[in-house]
Every structure is written in C-alpha cells, then in structure tokens.
Amino acid sequence: MPLLVRLDDQLHARRMTLTELSDAVGITLANLSILKTGKAKAIRFSTLEAICRVLECQPGDILVYEEEDPAP
Amino acid sequence: MRSSILGGTRVLVRVLMVLNIIVGIAFFVIFLATLQVDGALLMRLSAKYGVSANAITTFLRFMLVTGVLAALVAHVFLRALRQILASVAMGDPFIAENGRRLRRMGFAMLAFQIGDLILGYIDFSLDGLGADTVNWLPSIGGWLAVLLLFVLARVFAVGAAMRDELEGTV
C-alpha cells in the first residue's frame, strides 16, 4: 500500500517508546503495533487525534503517501 | 442462545440427520422393491383401480424417487445447519462461511419447495386416476423460509465483511 505510517520516526524524535505512547493515548500496545507495522486497514479519527496530541505533531507527520514503483 | 438450548438443538439436528438418512434409504429400498415385485404390485393395483394401475405404479415410483432426492436435499440443509450451530458453540458465528452456509440452506429449501410442487402435481394426477391420496396444500411457510434464508445469508455476508474491516481498524 502506498500509504506509509511514520510512527517510528515520530517516537524516535520524541525519545518515546511504543509502550509509553500506548499508556499516554489509551490504545492497546497490540493495536499500536498493528498501526506501526503498516498492517492496519483503517485508522479512527479519535486514534489519530490522540497520537497527534501526545506526539505534538500533525496527521501528515504520521501518515505519508508515496507512489508505488511501477512493476518492472 | 443459552448453552443448554444450543446443546439440545445440536443433538436434535444430529438425530434428524440420522433419521433423514434412514428415511432416504427406506425410500430407495421401497423403490427397488416396487421394481422387484412389479407383476404382483400391478396385479394388486389393477384389482383395485383397474386400467389406471399402470399410471398409478409409475406415479408411485416417481414419488419414491422424489423422496430419495428430498432426503439428499434435507441432508445438505441439516449439515449446513449443524456447521452453523458448531460455529455458534465455538463463539464465532459471524463469519463469511456462515453466510455461504445459509445461502446453501436457502437453495436446499428452494429445491425442497420445488419438490413439494412436484408432489402436488403427482397428488393431483393420482386424484384424477381415482387413487387414494392425502390432500396436498402448498406450503406458504416453506416459501417464506426460502426468502428468509436468502436474506439472512446476505445479512451474514455483509456483517462478516464489516467485521473483517473493523478488525483491521485501529
């Protein structure tokens, strides 16, 4: 999927672990792992809002659209 | 569904499946028997119904074959129902497979209803020949069950797809 989740970069920039983020936003570690590894099919506005609030960033800092390489 | 009711229903479905197989085999055996005692059967029926005996024998055999086919259809229906009940017992009934099972049950019920119409025709024909028959009436409930099963199958398919989507939502 050309939509990438840059949660790792934001966590790294704020010297925060996924467990700490999970505690701060009130979303299970399992669900955040699904999001981080790009396995999520959809994200709720409430989840995005909570992550942006804790990481003090914009949705665009977490979600990035990148064109897929055309098949050779 | 309470576990005792669920358990009871599962046992009932299993019993019905066994009975259905016995009935199906019985219809088939009787059908074969009518071929075996062809002369004697015709003689008896001729004594009672005269010239119509030949046609009555044919209709009788046709009815027995319809019975065998109905048992096969009922087996498909009951097996799908047993599988759905098993998924309920496992605590996960809202799966796409159950939608497909309900659809299969809908088609089985439809075949059953068509078979019922054929039996109605046979009954009407036998009446015309002066044979003793039971009164046939169309089964309105059966046709409603066909519609209900197809609607339920669609509801399950959509519900399962929605749940799949929700499972990937964070």
Side-chain angles (χ1 to χ4, degrees):
Chain A
M1 200 160 66
L3 205 60
L4 303 173
V5 180
R6 299 262 192 244
L7 196 56
D8 252 351
D9 297 351
Q10 294 301 317
L11 285 170
H12 185 73
R14 276 151 191 87
R15 302 273 181 270
M16 205 177 199
T17 65
L18 201 64
T19 312
E20 287 167 343
L21 180 66
S22 165
D23 290 338
V25 296
I27 293 162
T28 63
L29 191 60
N31 270 348
L32 278 182
S33 290
I34 289 170
L35 181 65
K36 197 184 82 156
T37 51
K39 286 175 186 160
K41 284 184 191 165
I43 181 166
R44 289 189 183 91
F45 276 165
S46 58
T47 305
L48 198 56
E49 204 177 292
I51 292 170
C52 288
R53 177 170 37 79
V54 173
L55 296 178
E56 295 169 331
C57 63
Q58 292 299 313
D61 298 327
I62 297 164
L63 301 174
V64 181
Y65 177 81
E66 258 179 30
E67 212 52 78
E68 266 180 338
D69 286 336
Chain B
M1 196 185 274
R2 278 211 347 246
S3 63
S4 58
I5 299 173
L6 178 67
T9 311
R10 289 181 78 187
V11 171
L12 180 70
V13 170
R14 276 175 187 278
V15 171
L16 286 175
M17 281 184 86
V18 173
L19 287 176
N20 180 57
I21 290 169
I22 293 169
V23 168
I25 291 170
F27 273 132
F28 188 63
V29 169
I30 296 168
F31 171 74
L32 291 180
T34 64
L35 297 176
Q36 199 70 32
V37 293
D38 191 38
L41 182 72
L42 204 60
M43 208 166 71
R44 287 252 175 165
L45 288 174
S46 296
K48 190 169 182 187
Y49 299 113
V51 285
S52 309
N54 245 328
I56 289 174
T57 312
T58 307
F59 277 127
L60 181 73
R61 285 185 185 135
F62 194 59
M63 207 181 245
L64 288 166
V65 171
T66 309
V68 174
L69 293 177
L72 286 174
V73 169
H75 185 75
V76 170
F77 184 94
L78 290 169
R79 197 178 59 179
L81 182 59
R82 192 193 66 189
Q83 287 165 338
I84 290 173
L85 286 171
S87 73
V88 176
M90 298 274 284
D92 191 19
F94 296 107
I95 49 173
E97 186 55 38
N98 276 351
R100 284 190 282 275
R101 283 170 185 150
L102 280 166
R103 203 158 164 265
R104 211 153 51 228
M105 286 170 76
F107 277 115
M109 198 69 195
L110 181 65
F112 217 78
Q113 289 305 108
I114 291 169
D116 187 53
L117 288 181
I118 294 170
L119 281 180
Y121 166 73
I122 295 172
D123 191 69
F124 180 75
S125 305
L126 285 173
D127 262 348
L129 294 169
D132 304 320
T133 57
V134 287
N135 274 338
W136 177 86
L137 282 172
S139 155
I140 304 297
W143 288 106
L144 279 176
V146 173
L147 286 178
L148 188 69
L149 283 165
F150 281 126
V151 169
L152 266 180
R154 187 79 193 122
V155 168
F156 258 75
V158 172
M162 279 172 77
R163 199 190 75 162
D164 271 358
E165 208 172 273
L166 207 64
E167 270 186 351
T169 303
V170 179

